[in-house]
Amino acid sequence: MKNSKHSWAEPYKIKMVELLKMTTPAQRKKAMKEAGYNTFLLKSEDVYIDLLTDSGTSAMSDRQWSGMMMGDEAYAGSRNFYHLEKVVQDVYGYKYLIPTHQGRGAENILSKILIKKGDIIPGNMYFTTTRLHQELASGKFEDIIIDEAHDPENEFPFKGNVDLVKLEKLIKKHGAEKIPYVSMATSVNMAGGQPISMKNLKELRALTKKHKIRVIHDMTRVAENAYFIQQREKGYQQKTIREIVKEINSYTDGATMSAKKDALVNIGGFLAVNDWDVFEEARNMVVVYEGLHTYGGLAGRDMEAMAIGIGESINDDHIRARVGQVIYLGEKMMEYGVPIVKPIGGHGIFVDAKKFLPHIRQDQFPAQTLAAEIYLDAGVRTMERGVVSAGRKANGENYFPKLELVRFTIPRRVYTQAHMDVIAESAARVYDRRNSIKGMKMIYEPKYLRFFQAKFEKL
Ligand SMILES: *Cc1c(COP(=O)(O)O)cnc(C)c1O
């Protein structure tokens, strides 16, 4: 049909702008070298388009900003806490809420409560902070995501699915009593923002119920996952994002949330559970690590902005534009021949560095190298999600993940379509000169979460 294309478009307009510094190639070269070729160590001033992360980088709405003015900064029993608690119950359907300063605060408390020494925690692909807290609590993470997730070329629509056969094998091998919970993420970050299907979730619920194993939901990007279910899964086209989100949560026993993603705030998170005993213990523990159970390391105004942001995040028009912008960028990159993870995920474009730079060995950090080159070209900051992010095993050996990716993460409601064009054009220019790019060696390595602060030198 002629003239039938519907572009994604923003359900908002711009009321205030933040001016950016434009840099020269020489300035970028100097800045990148000083940062040890680690994009985390760049000064944000030196960055034109910042795609390092979608975490805490969203633009808040006028409503959220006015909520900030309504902060009740009482030490105990802030009105904003009760507002947030009501929203978490109404929108997400979990019973009990413990606010935390961000997602990892919730992961810490949950891991300490549920994991005993020698326990196994199966999950649909690891996430950096999640697995680290599981390990610090003396547990062992086991990957039970479907094999398709490890193949950047595979176009299966639900690459976040749990492989139930892998889970059953683990239950058989270790016994259900060694498995305190299944760590189930929606929009699996490390797989490229890939969704889990409702069908798979229902099956996971049935299997875990049989063995009396909890399902704990990393719900950081649950609304984006719900959008893919609405678009791709039979029976969900007529359902709203709100309905789908609630149904997803209904198959789980509790959740950790980094509200810095989906929920459109710059800081905040929570632990939410349905089980009174777990809640009671968490309420004790949050006082030790975060703050009183009615603020958990947050200001009253932060909780208010989060409560409002959660409501905005499950709006159908919002999420269509949010994911629409990501898909626009991904399609543009594919037009230029840049190898990306398919299908396009919800929060960013993941460029396949192994394919982009096949002449660079994985121990010479192809994704780290590519992220540095992308910055040098036009001042676009991305991040490595490969061997550096994967870190080392308990025995000191490197994890060598199958996926060696550079993540172009799109902040919510921040950049325009012209910015997306600049990013795609820049990636295409680097792609055109890919054969002249050399790998790197690591010259400084921190013990934990090394990708944040490691330094490199060009070979
Ligand atoms: C960001 C993130 C976390 C950790 O949350 P923080 O707020 O950064 O502490 C956990 N899980 C996933 C999937 C995330 O993306």
Side-chain angles (χ1 to χ4, degrees):
M1 210 199 314
K2 230 168 41 175
N3 300 329
S4 70
K5 192 168 156 64
H6 284 275
S7 291
W8 67 277
E10 298 86 347
Y12 54 82
K13 60 183 177 177
I14 297 167
K15 177 142 44 183
M16 188 189 283
V17 297
E18 177 179 342
L19 300 181
L20 299 173
K21 182 173 104 180
M22 306 300 281
T23 51
T24 64
Q27 284 170 326
R28 291 195 291 277
K29 201 169 163 188
K30 182 164 173 283
M32 193 74 268
K33 194 157 183 232
E34 280 172 8
Y37 297 93
N38 184 344
T39 50
F40 276 102
L41 300 178
L42 285 167
K43 290 187 182 132
S44 117
E45 276 207 315
D46 295 326
V47 173
Y48 172 40
I49 301 176
D50 204 345
L51 308 183
L52 188 66
T53 172
D54 62 332
S55 177
T57 53
S58 298
M60 291 207 295
S61 67
D62 50 357
R63 291 167 213 196
Q64 285 177 292
W65 278 108
S66 61
M68 296 286 280
M69 297 304 291
M70 303 294 281
D72 169 7
E73 307 306 340
Y75 190 87
S78 160
R79 125 178 113 235
N80 312 115
F81 167 79
Y82 295 108
H83 182 197
L84 179 62
E85 182 182 55
K86 186 165 187 318
V87 168
V88 167
Q89 290 165 344
D90 288 354
V91 173
Y92 292 143
Y94 293 116
K95 276 192 199 152
Y96 307 114
L97 166 73
I98 302 273
T100 57
H101 76 287
Q102 55 187 84
R104 71 198 70 183
E107 290 169 350
N108 175 38
I109 292 170
L110 179 88
S111 302
K112 282 199 164 79
I113 293 174
L114 293 184
I115 300 172
K116 295 184 305 302
K117 197 170 164 50
D119 279 354
I120 305 291
I121 303 95
N124 53 348
M125 204 172 264
Y126 82 100
F127 182 73
T128 53
T129 59
T130 319
R131 185 178 66 192
L132 180 58
H133 280 299
Q134 291 161 357
E135 289 172 350
L136 290 172
S138 311
K140 184 166 181 288
F141 175 83
E142 290 279 1
D143 190 3
I144 53 162
I145 203 164
I146 54 171
D147 289 340
E148 286 87 337
H150 292 284
D151 174 5
E153 285 288 304
N154 192 305
E155 303 219 18
F156 186 66
F158 292 104
K159 282 164 88 173
N161 279 0
V162 167
D163 186 329
L164 295 155
V165 175
K166 287 182 191 168
L167 178 55
E168 276 192 297
K169 275 191 190 148
L170 281 177
I171 298 172
K172 215 171 204 165
K173 184 166 166 207
H174 301 280
E177 64 290 347
K178 283 274 171 221
I179 301 176
Y181 62 94
V182 171
S183 182
M184 185 282 296
T186 35
S187 294
V188 179
N189 193 345
M190 303 301 271
Q194 301 295 328
I196 182 170
S197 72
M198 201 69 92
K199 179 168 177 286
N200 184 249
L201 251 176
K202 284 187 203 169
E203 289 164 359
L204 175 66
R205 173 76 292 176
L207 179 64
T208 50
K209 200 168 180 181
K210 194 170 101 192
H211 294 280
K212 298 199 174 59
I213 297 172
R214 288 190 176 88
V215 176
I216 299 292
H217 178 196
D218 183 337
M219 66 177 305
T220 295
R221 296 182 184 79
V222 65
E224 289 164 10
N225 196 120
Y227 178 72
F228 287 120
I229 289 177
Q230 190 189 51
Q231 296 302 304
R232 297 176 186 167
E233 194 162 351
K234 209 168 143 249
Y236 288 91
Q237 274 72 39
Q238 305 309 322
K239 297 221 156 133
T240 62
I241 296 298
R242 191 187 180 104
E243 288 165 339
I244 298 170
V245 163
K246 207 151 179 188
E247 185 179 341
I248 291 172
N249 295 350
S250 74
Y251 303 128
T252 70
D253 302 289
T256 56
M257 173 66 157
S258 171
K260 303 172 68 171
K261 316 330 188 336
D262 247 12
L264 298 162
V265 288
N266 303 122
I267 194 73
F270 60 76
L271 171 65
V273 292
N274 290 335
D275 191 328
W276 173 263
D277 295 341
V278 178
F279 171 64
E280 242 200 327
E281 218 170 318
R283 203 168 51 166
N284 280 322
M285 209 171 276
V286 72
V287 190
V288 180
Y289 294 103
E290 304 279 319
L292 196 70
H293 64 283
T294 56
Y295 77 85
L298 296 169
R301 55 180 171 270
D302 298 329
M303 291 189 283
E304 190 61 28
M306 198 196 307
I308 298 168
I310 289 170
E312 292 176 3
S313 79
I314 49 142
N315 176 290
D316 283 58
D317 295 324
H318 161 74
I319 205 78
R320 187 184 317 113
R322 155 53 172 173
V323 180
Q325 186 179 42
V326 174
I327 291 173
Y328 174 86
L329 173 62
E331 286 178 348
K332 199 111 211 167
M333 282 195 180
M334 287 197 289
E335 279 169 32
Y336 289 124
V338 175
I340 68 171
V341 175
K342 286 177 271 183
I344 295 166
H347 66 297
I349 302 304
F350 291 69
V351 171
D352 184 347
K354 274 188 188 166
K355 257 193 132 177
F356 198 114
L357 300 170
H359 56 288
I360 298 181
R361 296 198 326 244
Q362 200 171 12
D363 62 356
Q364 296 175 352
F365 312 110
Q368 190 77 30
T369 302
L370 182 54
E373 293 294 333
I374 294 281
Y375 171 75
L376 291 170
D377 183 77
V380 175
R381 171 154 71 171
T382 57
M383 87 148 90
E384 192 259 14
R385 282 274 107 134
V387 63
V388 184
S389 294
R392 289 181 189 274
K393 302 177 192 170
N395 67 8
E397 280 170 34
N398 277 310
Y399 284 105
F400 281 105
K402 280 198 198 130
L403 298 180
E404 180 73 22
L405 308 175
V406 175
R407 192 177 82 175
F408 292 61
T409 343
I410 314 298
R412 296 165 186 80
R413 308 192 292 205
V414 172
Y415 292 114
T416 66
Q417 185 152 330
H419 285 124
M420 298 302 118
D421 292 339
V422 169
I423 298 158
E425 289 158 13
S426 177
R429 273 194 302 275
V430 176
Y431 191 60
D432 287 345
R433 62 174 176 79
R434 62 192 180 278
N435 292 329
S436 65
I437 296 171
K438 293 196 175 62
M440 301 199 294
K441 65 172 186 213
M442 204 186 307
I443 55 168
Y444 167 68
E445 179 175 354
K447 188 159 169 222
Y448 296 118
L449 302 177
R450 63 182 180 182
F451 57 96
F452 284 130
Q453 287 160 32
K455 290 201 165 190
F456 300 83
E457 236 170 46
K458 280 196 174 183
L459 286 174

